[in-house]
Amino acid sequence: MDLIYIDNNATTPTLPAVWEAMRPYLTDAYGNPASAHRAGRRARQALEDARERVAALLGAQPDEVIFTSGATEANNLAVFGLAGDPPGHVVASPIEHPSVAEPLRRLQEIGFRVAYLPADRTGGVRAEALAGLLRPETRLVTVMLANNETGAIQPIADCRLQIADWAMKSAICNLQSAIHCDAVQAVGRVPVHFGELGVTSLSLSAHKFHGPRGVGALLLRRGTKLRPLFFGGHQQHGRRPGTEPVALAVGLATALELAEREGAARRERVLALRRRLLDALRREAAPVVLNGPEEGGIPHTLNLSFPGCRADALLMVLDLAGVACSTGSACSSGSLLPSPVLKAMGVHDEVLHSAMRFSLSALLSEAEIDEAARRIAAAVRRLRATGD
Ligand code: PMP
């Protein structure tokens, strides 16, 4: 058993069936979907078919699907596109992915005010605090659906209710606030329905659910005003100009279809593997601190601290031992910074600096999980003994 890949929140392997569905659009059917000739029409047909499939699978309308290069672009498009011109006010969760958190910092630099919701120790934001943060000039509320570091699922429906309630009590009938939801770690893993979630926009990325890297989408509620990030073409109604990546869109739709078809079985399998890994590490690498929910989060994610070990040292030892995982920290110019997500949850230093993220997929076997647990526990014991 060589490399054990338990870093599926970073990316997942593309399934052969997805690659096969994409192949014709990388070889024979290479037309530009904007071209009027037969080759173009064939590409357009495949693109619009992919758009319709994605919409149907996620409870959206086809004209609500904007294909992007991934979720970083989709999140930037939502934050900048919905916030409009400064001055203005935005409310955000403190546990957003950098592709939301950094655009928010940029908004602050150009004259927006940003207020942050509190988070609790298991990684959930406290929706009831929203009422105290909203303002008549709030343009955008942004809260992710499932956190990439802890797996905690966020109370989007409660946030929506809080906003409606606040607008009613404050007699502000025309509150312009949009709600954006980064659903990257949830789509293709747990059921997500755009219409029922009731948000203005939602981002997703194909490579998190066994689709290709380099394509994602922003779902945008019909009739919403959005300022584009790019200019120079009329594609996708000018909201995201540029020649659409037909093969990647087909890959995204196919991966989503497979995820939907096999969803329940995959979830059950991953949940059992997560329990198996958690139990083994609690037994063999104690003391272990769980950062995030014991149950009820996205099943793929396990964020654990091993007090007495430094996460960066553990990551390196595990890489040498053939375990691909990640620290709970953000990498910046080669140095590891403590995770802002765990900090927002009130995690104290010792736990913060020893946090590791293991993220699973249904492709893993029980034997791989058992072997991963053995290698992790051995590395933890070694580092604790040497004081690293
Ligand atoms: N949001 C979340 C929650 C993520 O986990 C990621 C990927 N790490 C992104 C956004 C960015 O996605 P992409 O890699 O498609 O740009």
Side-chain angles (χ1 to χ4, degrees):
M1 200 180 291
D2 203 15
L3 179 74
I4 304 176
Y5 185 81
I6 48 174
D7 201 13
N8 287 276
N9 284 9
T11 198
T12 58
T14 306
L15 292 177
V18 171
W19 168 238
E20 284 309 324
M22 290 168 60
R23 187 195 293 273
Y25 304 100
L26 293 164
T27 51
D28 302 341
Y30 49 76
N32 184 325
S35 298
H37 47 63
R38 194 187 310 163
R41 289 200 305 276
R42 185 171 172 203
R44 157 94 21 219
Q45 177 74 46
L47 178 70
E48 294 314 323
D49 179 57
R51 200 188 303 279
E52 277 171 28
R53 283 149 69 202
V54 170
L57 288 162
L58 293 174
Q61 300 300 319
D63 63 354
E64 294 178 320
V65 179
I66 305 171
F67 288 116
T68 62
S69 63
T72 298
E73 184 191 331
N75 283 334
N76 273 262
L77 181 57
V79 171
F80 291 119
L82 294 170
D85 288 323
H89 183 254
V90 176
V91 181
S93 94
I95 57 164
E96 295 296 296
H97 185 267
S99 57
V100 171
E102 289 299 325
L104 291 177
R105 266 191 276 285
R106 179 77 192 118
L107 285 185
Q108 276 176 303
E109 283 167 16
I110 61 171
F112 278 83
R113 282 182 308 122
V114 182
Y116 291 94
L117 288 160
D120 64 26
R121 183 63 184 87
T122 58
V125 295
R126 303 221 333 267
E128 69 279 10
L130 192 50
L133 299 176
L134 290 166
R135 302 275 173 274
E137 65 275 19
T138 304
R139 302 254 182 87
L140 175 67
V141 173
T142 178
V143 179
M144 70 199 324
L145 189 49
N147 184 262
N148 47 301
E149 290 187 32
T150 65
I153 292 182
Q154 305 304 320
I156 305 297
D158 288 351
C159 290
R160 230 185 52 220
L161 286 176
Q162 289 279 330
I163 295 172
D165 207 40
W166 181 85
M168 205 173 68
K169 281 197 192 121
S170 330
I172 298 175
C173 316
N174 61 344
L175 180 73
Q176 297 292 304
S177 176
I179 312 177
H180 173 61
C181 182
D182 172 347
V184 169
Q185 295 291 347
V187 169
R189 290 161 166 201
V190 292
V192 174
H193 191 288
F194 180 60
E196 283 170 15
L197 210 53
V199 294
T200 315
S201 60
L202 179 149
S203 53
L204 60 123
S205 183
H207 72 98
K208 306 293 181 176
F209 48 88
H210 303 291
R213 277 150 289 282
V215 64
L218 183 71
L219 306 186
L220 181 73
R221 196 191 296 164
R222 205 178 248 177
T224 307
K225 242 179 80 187
L226 181 85
R227 178 190 297 169
L229 288 178
F230 306 150
F231 298 88
H234 49 75
Q235 291 94 340
Q236 307 201 76
H237 304 289
R239 296 174 301 186
R240 203 289 192 173
T243 303
E244 300 92 336
V246 178
L248 292 173
V250 169
L252 188 158
T254 308
L256 195 57
E257 245 157 28
L258 288 171
E260 170 67 22
R261 200 179 309 153
E262 300 167 7
R266 284 190 196 174
R267 275 191 295 283
E268 198 179 319
R269 170 151 193 82
V270 173
L271 211 53
L273 294 176
R274 179 184 188 272
R275 172 53 56 199
R276 195 176 179 100
L277 183 60
L278 179 57
D279 288 349
L281 290 175
R282 278 181 169 155
R283 234 178 9 251
E284 294 166 32
V288 165
V289 180
L290 174 65
N291 303 306
E294 176 90 25
E295 285 170 7
I298 42 165
H300 305 71
T301 311
L302 197 52
N303 191 311
L304 297 176
S305 289
F306 301 94
C309 283
R310 279 201 2 249
D312 50 352
L314 188 51
L315 186 75
M316 272 187 280
V317 174
L318 286 176
D319 186 34
L320 290 174
V323 177
C325 57
S326 110
T327 64
S329 312
C331 192
S332 164
S333 342
S335 67
L336 291 170
L337 302 170
S339 152
V341 172
L342 299 185
K343 270 175 119 169
M345 288 160 56
V347 167
H348 71 77
D349 275 4
E350 173 73 356
V351 173
L352 196 60
H353 293 289
S354 62
M356 302 295 292
R357 181 187 72 183
F358 307 114
S359 48
L360 314 181
S361 94
L363 301 176
L364 287 157
S365 67
E366 280 84 0
E368 282 179 297
I369 291 293
D370 294 347
E371 180 57 23
R374 259 192 297 280
R375 293 180 193 178
I376 296 165
V380 166
R381 282 195 297 266
R382 205 180 105 200
L383 288 175
R384 279 184 181 144
T386 57
D388 279 336

